Each structure stands twice: as structure tokens, then as C-alpha cells.
Amino acid sequence: MGKASPLLLLLLVLGFFFATYNFVTMIVHNRGLGAWESDGLDGMPLRRLSDSENGNVGTTESSILLFHVALTATDSPYSKWQCRIMHYWYKKVKDMPGSSMGGFTRILHSGSPDNLMDEIPTFVVDPLPDGLDRGYVVLNRPWAFVQWLEKATIDEEYILMAEPDHVFVNPLPNLAQGGNPVAFPFFYIKPAKNEKIIRKFYPEEKGPVTDIDPIGNSPVIIKKSMLEKIAPTWMNVSLSMKDDRETDKAFGWVLEMYAYAVASALHRVQHILRKDFMLQPPWDLEVGKKFIIHYTYGCDYSLKGELTYGKIGDWRFDKRSYLRGPPPRNLSLPPPGVPESVHNSILEDFLAGGLCSSLLTDGDVGVDMKWIVELSVVTLVKMVNEATANIPGWDDDRV
């Protein structure tokens, strides 16, 4: 072959340079776009969020990791109707924007199937041996979780421990961050105030009592692997506390809650505390952007809309009124004075504190102000009524 001309060599060098430049540029560009689109867990694609959608922050663990909803239950009519309402609202909000809900399991610790097996996904486990719970049925909860975690196939990496008397009022994201579980702080769980008793189960060499979170096991969102370690300890601490007369007397119906808090601390697990995780009528007045309504307290009002807690009111909603069967459909709403009186007081404080400026600038005042007007008790009864109106055969369980 003859010698190539200098001009031809120059053209070849330039062509190779531009081809290489374009190829490298394409790789860099595609990496920048694709990092969020194809790095999902288990091959699941992630949609890249715009700055307006993600608030100028990248995707977080909570936005991509689903949690499994699990609640323990008995086969009593009282437990059944609560589970049916809870499951209805789970299905309602599961696929809404912002939800990280995965599967659902009612962990039935009666030892045998019941008539809700076809309606609610259920895993049957054994109760504690006869007499071991000494009438404290909640003591079956940690034992139920131990069995379920050992025997069931759970696809999700995280678990939400919930209860039958929970209703999802807003879509629930995975609030756990960086491997830390998230929990609701209860004002009546006070480890420091009960240090003398706590030290029976959490000795000084383990650390300060302040390491024990003021929580129960529910609601908690936690990694499955973490709960698998805590659950057996939680069960053993619960049984030990029940066996100790002083502890049993001091903690009463919240004994199992203290046991979970102590068991977590023994494993050096601390929880992110989120007050917006849950609200409890009638004490929490507004729903706002909270996620779960827990209707554990009775709600009693006079015909003037005044709260008469501790005294049966002219209007009441109390789950304990329905121990033998479900509440009827179409419960009456609280007296008209309830929402107005609450609205006036809250709105005055709201405006006086200048807290509405962000809402006004958002341009969506109507939507955000709605929750101020509507009392949480009203929301709760409306949600119960919607569920009972749409669940087939609602009255079939009445005894």
C-alpha cells in the first residue's frame, strides 16, 4: 500500500475524535438520566422526580420500600368487625399516591380458621397455652408475631404493626428512615418515671432508662429482619412482666407496650418518634395530614356539642358498646354543635398564630382548611359508616 496523504490522516484523526466525544457524551448523559430510572430494588423501575415533585431532594428509602400491614386479632365478634373496617380502609388507600403499602395479614391467634378467611388475608397461629395470659389477651400479640415471622412468607422488607381499631385516614408512606424504625409516642408510656420497675428487666449495665422509647409495638414500621430479632425478646419480657406482681399492677393494660419498648432497647434499637403517625379522638381534634385514626377512647358529647368524657353523653361512639356484634350501619353523626365549636376555637388560634401564611401562599386554601373545620370524631364516624355501607353481609356477625 502506498503512503496515505497528510490530509487523509488528518480527516481520520478528526473523525475518530468526534466519534469518541459523542460516544462518551452519550454515556454520561444516559447515566445521569438512568440512575433513577433503573436502580430500583429487585429490578423495579423508579420514576425520576422533577424538582417540584421531590422538593429538590432525591428519592428516599421511604419512597421505594413497601411495608406489609400486619395486625393480631382474635375470633371474637368484637375483634372481627374492627378488622373488617380496618381492612376496608387499607384497600381504599393502598394504591393512592403517597402510599407505600404492600400486602396485608390478619394474624389470627385463635388456633383455628374463622368465617373471615375469604374476606381478609389471614394467617392462623396458636394462642398461648391455657392460663398463661391470665385473662390479658394482649399477651398473645408478641407470641403471634413470633410464629408468623417464623412460618409465613413475607415479601416486603418492612412491616407495619397495626391494630384492628386503626383506620387509614390518609395514604401512609414508609416513614422509617436509614434503617431506623418509626413509632408513635404515647404520653402515658413513661420509662423514666417507672425506672425502679424498668430496671428489673433493663439493668443499669444496659444503659440509661432514657434509651427506652415511650412507645408500644403499634403503630410501628420496622425492618422485618429487625423485628425477627426483637419479637422473641418482646414475648419473654412480656411474660416476665406479667409474672412480676409489682410490674403487673403498675403497668396494667399497657404492660405489653412497655415490654416492646424494653425489648427494643435491649437490642439497641431506637425508634424515630412521629406524632403525626396517628391521632386519637376525642383528644386529637383535627385530622390534618396524619395517617391513622385510633379509636380506642370513648367519644361522648352533650346535645350542645360539649365533650363529657368520663360520663355517658347524649351522643356517644365507643367501640366497647359493640362487644357482642358490629355497630349498625349509618351511625348518627355528633350533635351539630361539635364541629362548629371546635372549628371556632381552632381557627382563632390558627389565625392568631399566623400559621396560615404557608397555606395562603400555596393557593390551595380550600383543601387545606377543610380538615380544620371537620372534627376528628366526625371523620371517624363517617369512615365507619362508609365501610359498613360497603362491606357485604355486615350484620351477619351480630350475636
Side-chain angles (χ1 to χ4, degrees), residues 21 42 47 55 60 85 120 128 134 163 166 176 194 198 206 235 238 254 263 294 314 331 346 359 362 364 399:
Y21 174 81
D42 300 324
R47 182 174 64 89
T60 62
I85 291 175
I120 304 175
L128 289 167
R134 277 176 271 169
E163 296 181 17
H166 288 176
N194 295 281
I198 289 292
K206 292 294 183 180
M235 180 187 70
S238 296
V254 297
H294 181 210
D314 300 306
L331 294 169
I346 293 178
L359 296 181
D362 287 343
D364 198 12
V399 176

Side-chain angles (χ1 to χ4, degrees), residues 93-113:
V93 304
K94 178 182 181 294
D95 296 321
M96 288 184 177
S99 168
S100 296
M101 293 179 176
F104 184 103
T105 299
R106 178 183 63 136
I107 308 172
L108 182 63
H109 52 77
S110 62
S112 58

Side-chain angles (χ1 to χ4, degrees), residues 56-110:
N56 292 312
V57 296
T59 54
T60 62
E61 188 177 74
S62 64
S63 67
I64 60 175
L65 295 180
L66 300 179
F67 57 82
H68 193 98
V69 180
L71 65 154
T72 57
T74 71
D75 59 358
S76 70
Y78 177 63
S79 179
K80 286 179 180 178
W81 69 256
Q82 293 175 54
C83 289
R84 299 181 82 187
I85 291 175
M86 199 270 199
H87 184 239
Y88 172 87
W89 283 103
Y90 155 79
K91 292 189 297 181
K92 187 92 172 182
V93 304
K94 178 182 181 294
D95 296 321
M96 288 184 177
S99 168
S100 296
M101 293 179 176
F104 184 103
T105 299
R106 178 183 63 136
I107 308 172
L108 182 63
H109 52 77
S110 62

Side-chain angles (χ1 to χ4, degrees), residues 17-33:
F17 170 79
F18 283 116
T20 303
Y21 174 81
N22 289 334
F23 181 69
V24 171
T25 302
M26 181 179 67
I27 291 176
V28 172
H29 178 70
N30 285 342
R31 280 181 177 173
L33 291 178

Side-chain angles (χ1 to χ4, degrees), residues 360-372:
L360 292 173
T361 55
D362 287 343
D364 198 12
V365 178
V367 174
D368 285 302
M369 295 290 281
K370 180 180 179 182
W371 60 264
I372 302 172

Side-chain angles (χ1 to χ4, degrees), residues 180-181 202 204-208 211 213 226 230 261-271:
N180 292 99
Y202 191 75
E204 291 187 10
E205 58 267 25
K206 292 294 183 180
D211 286 347
D213 296 322
M226 195 175 290
I230 294 174
V262 169
S264 298
L266 288 171
H267 286 275
R268 302 191 181 280
V269 172
Q270 290 193 298
H271 297 68

